[in-house]
Amino acid sequence: MPLIILFGIGVLWKGVDLARAPRDRVLRLLVVCLLLLLGGEVLSIPGINSAIDEATITGAGKVAFNAIYMSGLCALNLFFASSVGGSDGAYRRHLRSSTGLLCGVLIALVATMTATPAAMRGHSLATPYMGEPPIALFYLVGNVYFLYAYLAAARWALRYARKAAQHLGVGLRVMALGLLGLAATSVNRMILVALRYDEPGSHEVFNAVNWSLSDWAMGVTLVGICYSASVQVLTRVRSMARHRRMYHELTPLWTALTTAYPELVLKEPPAGARWRRLRPHRTHEQRFCRRVIECRDGLVCLSPYLARVASGTDLAHAPAQELARHITEALALNPTTESPQTELPAVRVAAPASGDLEADARELIAVSRALDERKS
């Protein structure tokens, strides 16, 4: 149940992100991966697995679980391969090899289940029929793939951790440790199949220890996933709160400039098809970014009049209080009614110390605060 809840939250969270960026290949792979792993965990519930067998044929639930869960692991590896980067040709080769291997394994599982006598298709690792070659082969083929998928995902996670931010890297390394533990349990299950081939039901202690190891490994994997997700959520919440605050701090300057130049305000596009209406509106980050752009556009339009009222002043590096005074004076000229034949070149105003968006916003916020103080 913790896995089902975790994957369900992940699907909803990343599904919203995908709705905003439907062409993002990495995000699509992540959502598909989470959906498939969620479906695999749901199918692993004994009652649901039995219900599938009753609705179809015995053994169908076991094959469906393996098919969906293995597909989820394949999507996980493709997600990591796409995230790490590289050429499109390298990704396509990895896609072909991964999907080809998965298809081969699924065909083998269906074949071994079909070759199993109908009365024995409800088998498990505790079955007294492990000596039947199709049954033993079913578990060997499945666990060989699980071993490959877990090891590949751990390798990709470690590789991605080297390029990721510090906190995300820690989570990925913990996740890789858990995946290595799950790979070890796959090896142990293959050993158990070999041990029980001639002695069905034997080595119960070994089986119990392996189940315990599997639980611990899955727990470690969950800790890694939750740590990375928690850091990402915390970072995103802090970013949203900061951009929301800066958005409102820009309001006095934005209001003054867009009142003079209302055409600078970006309007929302008209509602289209019904499914488009379900897509989220602009995020706080996007609204903040747009407000910075609209303030800059307004200053560009107003800058010729600023140069007129502040002749000889370095408007790019003038103090915020001085700029606020000049903006008030320039707006008093009623620049929107200026003759279109008047040639007034634009000048740079409130130049930021660096080229990033937040540095630009800090300069504009200083002017906005000064403008607000003058009004109050």
Side-chain angles (χ1 to χ4, degrees):
M1 289 307 299
L3 275 173
I4 291 175
I5 294 171
L6 179 65
F7 288 138
I9 293 173
V11 168
L12 292 175
W13 177 18
K14 292 303 175 183
V16 171
D17 289 343
L18 183 61
R20 295 192 182 107
R23 296 185 180 181
D24 189 326
R25 183 180 68 187
V26 175
L27 201 51
R28 274 203 310 271
L29 286 169
L30 180 57
V31 172
V32 169
C33 165
L34 292 171
L35 274 172
L36 290 170
L37 292 177
L38 172 63
E41 291 299 330
V42 170
L43 288 179
S44 70
I45 299 174
I48 294 178
N49 205 284
S50 300
I52 294 175
D53 285 352
E54 292 173 4
T56 54
I57 58 173
T58 304
K62 188 179 294 296
V63 172
F65 159 74
N66 280 280
I68 292 177
Y69 201 81
M70 288 175 177
S71 298
L73 292 176
C74 179
L76 176 62
N77 281 292
L78 290 173
F79 160 72
F80 277 129
S82 187
S83 299
V84 169
S87 65
D88 287 340
Y91 172 76
R92 285 193 292 269
R93 287 193 297 272
H94 187 77
L95 174 63
R96 287 194 296 269
S97 61
S98 296
T99 53
L101 177 61
L102 176 64
C103 291
V105 169
L106 295 181
I107 290 171
L109 292 181
V110 172
T112 54
M113 184 62 76
T114 303
T116 303
M120 301 179 184
R121 289 177 183 168
H123 54 71
S124 67
L125 279 173
T127 183
Y129 313 115
M130 194 58 72
E132 292 288 331
I135 297 177
L137 193 59
F138 181 91
Y139 288 102
L140 288 174
V141 170
N143 281 288
V144 165
Y145 183 81
F146 282 129
L147 173 63
Y148 156 77
Y150 288 138
L151 287 177
R155 182 178 69 86
W156 281 115
L158 290 173
R159 184 177 174 183
Y160 187 66
R162 289 195 291 269
K163 300 182 178 182
Q166 181 180 1
H167 295 299
L168 179 58
V170 170
L172 288 169
R173 289 182 178 91
V174 173
M175 177 184 172
L177 180 62
L179 290 168
L180 291 173
L182 290 172
T185 63
S186 299
V187 174
N188 291 340
R189 282 193 292 272
M190 288 188 282
I191 294 173
L192 185 64
V193 170
L195 292 173
R196 287 184 168 179
Y197 190 80
D198 294 322
E199 298 180 59
S202 62
H203 301 87
E204 278 297 332
V205 175
F206 180 78
N207 188 36
V209 170
N210 194 51
W211 275 112
S212 179
L213 175 61
S214 178
D215 291 339
W216 276 101
M218 185 60 74
V220 172
T221 305
L222 281 176
V223 169
I225 294 172
C226 290
Y227 181 83
S228 297
S230 299
V231 169
Q232 188 176 358
V233 169
L234 180 61
T235 302
R236 186 163 182 173
V237 168
R238 290 174 62 184
S239 174
M240 287 173 58
R242 184 175 70 255
H243 287 147
R244 183 184 180 89
R245 184 184 69 252
M246 296 173 80
Y247 173 86
H248 289 294
E249 287 175 335
L250 286 168
T251 297
L253 177 62
W254 178 85
T255 302
L257 293 173
T258 55
T259 300
Y261 303 104
E263 68 276 8
L264 297 178
V265 180
L266 179 67
K267 305 298 183 183
E268 289 286 348
R274 183 174 299 177
W275 70 270
R276 291 180 183 270
R277 299 174 195 171
L278 300 177
R279 290 178 60 180
H281 296 291
R282 289 187 230 162
T283 63
H284 291 295
E285 290 85 352
Q286 291 170 330
R287 292 171 63 210
F288 159 73
C289 181
R290 184 60 206 175
R291 176 150 290 190
V292 171
I293 293 171
E294 289 168 352
C295 286
R296 272 294 166 200
D297 289 346
L299 287 176
V300 169
C301 294
L302 188 65
S303 66
Y305 305 95
L306 285 170
R308 176 184 293 181
V309 300
S311 178
T313 302
D314 182 6
L315 295 173
H317 303 98
Q321 293 289 345
E322 185 179 347
L323 281 176
R325 178 168 57 84
H326 292 323
I327 288 172
T328 302
E329 294 171 354
L331 289 172
L333 295 177
N334 199 11
T336 55
T337 61
E338 190 73 31
S339 170
Q341 282 74 35
T342 303
E343 294 183 1
L344 298 170
V347 296
R348 197 173 187 189
V349 180
S354 60
D356 62 284
L357 179 66
E358 295 210 5
D360 195 13
R362 285 191 293 269
E363 289 292 327
L364 295 175
I365 287 171
V367 177
S368 184
R369 286 173 177 170
L371 199 61
D372 192 43
E373 290 172 3
R374 289 183 60 83
K375 290 180 180 179
S376 60

